[in-house]
């Protein structure tokens, strides 16, 4: 039994839509970002005259 041309095109179009949707969902479902460890506080360079006072 032969199917009608319109039915074949409809099946092909539906398969294409499913394929594109699957690819889009797979592209957006990448690996989750790891929770970053708490960073150490950043140090600030002290003024030279303050360093001399406390280092000596």
């Amino acid at each position: 039994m032969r199917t009608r041309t319109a039915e074949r095109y409809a099946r092909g179009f539906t398969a294409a839509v499913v394929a594109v949707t699957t690819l889009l969902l797979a592209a957006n479902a990448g690996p989750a970002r790891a929770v970053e460890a708490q960073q150490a506080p950043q140090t600030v360079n002290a003024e030279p005259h303050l360093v001399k006072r406390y280092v000596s």
Side-chain angles (χ1 to χ4, degrees):
M1 180 174 151
R2 296 183 75 176
T3 57
R4 290 200 275 178
T5 304
E7 291 176 2
R8 286 186 299 197
Y9 281 115
R11 286 183 190 161
F13 180 75
T14 304
V17 169
V18 169
V20 169
T21 304
T22 303
L23 289 173
L24 288 175
L25 290 174
N28 289 330
R33 292 184 182 173
V35 177
E36 294 183 18
Q38 196 173 29
Q39 295 180 349
Q42 296 179 347
T43 57
V44 178
N45 292 334
E47 295 293 326
H49 65 279
L50 295 175
V51 173
K52 290 179 185 176
R53 182 185 304 172
Y54 294 107
V55 172
S56 58

